[in-house]
Amino acid sequence: MSTKRSFSLNRIITAILIVAVLCIAAWWGRQQYINSNHEAGFIKGNGRIEATEIDISTKLSGRISDILVNEGDFIRAGQTLVKMDIDSLIAQQDEAAASLHQTETNVAAAEAQVALRKSDATAAQALVAQREAELDAAKRRLVRSETLSREGAASVQEVDDDRAAVLGAQAALAATRAQAEAAVAAIKAAEAQLIGATAAVKAATASVAKVEVDIRDNELKSPRDGRVQFRVAQPGEVLGAGGRVLNVIDLSDVYMTFFLPSEAAGRLALGTEVRLVLDAAPDIPIPATVSFVSSTAQFTPKTVETASERQKLMFRIKAQIPPALLHKHLEHVKTGLPGEAWVKLDPKTKWPAQLSSRFTE
């Protein structure tokens, strides 16, 4: 029994030793990797050249009339790439223009009505003044006839006639004042119609502008300088709103994404110098700068317990190629090319001859 227990204990000890040797070997290999990439203030990581991709898509549903570029073509910002069928929009534009013309005519008619109502109001005010003068004259005649009647110089009939004339003048004045008030109300009504007609002109103008915008938007233009990567659709196809037609790469935003261990990533700052060495052109280092350092590790483990586990953490880094340099060499820019990114960890260290770039921005 004691012999079996001793044999089992030996197996456990042997297994522990094997695990310990493997851990030491892994740690040593990791350190060798770090040291090989960390000599003389430099470290490297593997990656591929990438660029920002832009989808050229329709704003409105419609049929593709023509595609003016092919895959691989270089394009400029503002260049027309795709034309959509706009026959229906042209019809809408004609309809909107006719509606605008009609509303403008309505405005002119409303303005004429306002002017007419104001003229009527002026005439009514003049008539009110006339009726007031007539009433005043009738009252004066009544006063004289009443005085003469008391003196026996005028008959009762004359007094009654003058009194009736006063009452008639009062009634005529009241009617004329009512007409003047109606004329003022008519002015307000005509002005309200003018406001409505003016608003209709604005609405019609907006409709015309919207159709014009839709017509312009049916010419799909490039937002930036770049290169056509591939076609998604072909002339004659009908696409819905937001339908993709072309995929374009922005040649002013080219970079390489790579990974570095935590001890190196922790020392990087934005703007750190980088040299990109592509497999296709190993003797032409390309200058770049660090434009992004991930704030979280990309590799496992997610929870770090020990120093040896922390050494397994890798952080994503992005090295941006200067846009001015890209602009000078647009014809040679290609995405997807694999290579290495050499990062200068010590700003005081000079680049070795094999990593000195001949390019200048």
Side-chain angles (χ1 to χ4, degrees):
M1 189 71 175
S2 177
T3 302
K4 288 183 178 180
R5 184 177 300 172
S6 176
F7 176 73
S8 177
L9 182 60
N10 288 337
R11 290 183 63 184
I12 293 173
I13 293 173
T14 300
I16 292 173
L17 289 175
I18 291 173
V19 172
V21 169
L22 291 176
C23 290
I24 293 173
W27 176 85
W28 183 83
R30 179 68 177 174
Q31 290 300 113
Q32 289 297 110
Y33 169 80
I34 294 173
N35 292 335
S36 64
N37 291 328
H38 205 297
E39 295 177 357
F42 299 96
I43 191 170
K44 69 176 180 179
N46 298 321
R48 289 180 179 272
I49 293 293
E50 301 176 51
T52 298
E53 295 186 6
I54 303 171
D55 287 331
I56 305 299
S57 306
T58 61
K59 180 181 177 181
L60 306 171
S61 60
R63 186 185 304 277
I64 300 175
S65 176
D66 194 11
I67 299 178
L68 306 179
V69 292
N70 296 310
E71 293 179 351
D73 286 353
F74 287 93
I75 56 177
R76 296 293 181 182
Q79 178 181 342
T80 300
L81 307 179
V82 180
K83 290 185 176 181
M84 304 294 291
D85 188 350
I86 59 172
D87 288 346
S88 62
L89 290 175
I90 294 296
Q92 292 178 26
Q93 185 181 38
D94 293 340
E95 180 183 3
S99 177
L100 175 60
H101 179 69
Q102 182 179 359
T103 56
E104 289 174 342
T105 302
N106 292 339
V107 167
E111 289 175 342
Q113 281 295 319
V114 170
L116 177 61
R117 297 308 177 191
K118 287 182 177 180
S119 178
D120 291 344
T122 301
Q125 290 296 331
L127 190 57
V128 167
Q130 180 182 348
R131 296 291 182 253
E132 288 175 344
E134 291 174 351
L135 175 61
D136 183 66
K139 287 180 178 180
R140 289 177 184 275
R141 283 195 302 271
L142 176 61
V143 170
R144 286 196 300 269
S145 63
E146 287 176 343
T147 302
L148 292 174
S149 177
R150 286 192 298 269
E151 294 176 352
S155 65
V156 175
Q157 184 63 45
E158 290 177 344
V159 174
D160 290 342
D161 290 343
D162 291 340
R163 186 174 290 115
V166 168
L167 294 176
Q170 289 175 338
L173 176 60
T176 305
R177 284 176 173 171
Q179 291 176 358
E181 292 176 356
V184 172
I187 291 175
K188 294 181 179 179
E191 289 176 340
Q193 290 179 353
L194 176 60
I195 292 173
T198 303
V201 168
K202 292 182 179 179
T205 302
S207 297
V208 171
K210 179 181 180 301
V211 174
E212 290 174 349
V213 169
D214 289 343
I215 290 175
R216 289 196 299 269
D217 286 341
N218 271 273
E219 281 194 358
L220 309 185
K221 299 183 178 181
S222 174
R224 304 179 189 176
D225 293 345
R227 185 174 63 238
V228 178
Q229 188 163 230
F230 53 82
R231 286 189 180 189
V232 182
Q234 300 299 329
E237 294 185 21
V238 177
L239 301 179
R244 297 170 63 202
V245 183
L246 300 171
N247 179 269
V248 172
I249 56 175
D250 180 5
L251 296 182
S252 66
D253 187 15
V254 180
Y255 54 89
M256 177 181 283
T257 299
F258 57 98
F259 294 86
L260 292 179
S262 57
E263 58 272 20
R267 298 173 57 184
L268 291 185
L270 296 181
T272 299
E273 289 186 66
V274 181
R275 292 291 184 267
L276 306 180
V277 180
L278 304 180
D279 294 352
D283 57 337
I284 308 178
I286 302 171
T289 55
V290 173
S291 61
F292 171 81
V293 179
S294 176
S295 59
T296 57
Q298 306 297 305
F299 293 174
T300 53
K302 294 182 180 179
T303 302
V304 179
E305 299 293 344
T306 65
S308 61
E309 289 295 305
R310 286 198 298 271
Q311 290 174 357
K312 297 179 183 178
L313 292 175
M314 300 291 283
F315 287 79
R316 185 166 64 94
I317 314 295
K318 183 189 289 187
Q320 193 88 22
I321 301 175
L325 178 60
L326 292 168
H327 185 73
K328 290 182 180 180
H329 305 278
L330 286 179
E331 295 79 7
H332 302 286
V333 178
K334 296 180 178 63
T335 57
L337 297 177
E340 296 177 338
W342 286 85
V343 183
K344 181 191 287 189
L345 296 177
D346 184 359
K348 298 179 180 179
T349 305
K350 293 185 178 181
W351 288 105
Q354 65 271 22
L355 293 178
S356 296
S357 177
R358 68 185 185 186
F359 294 110
T360 57
E361 296 185 19

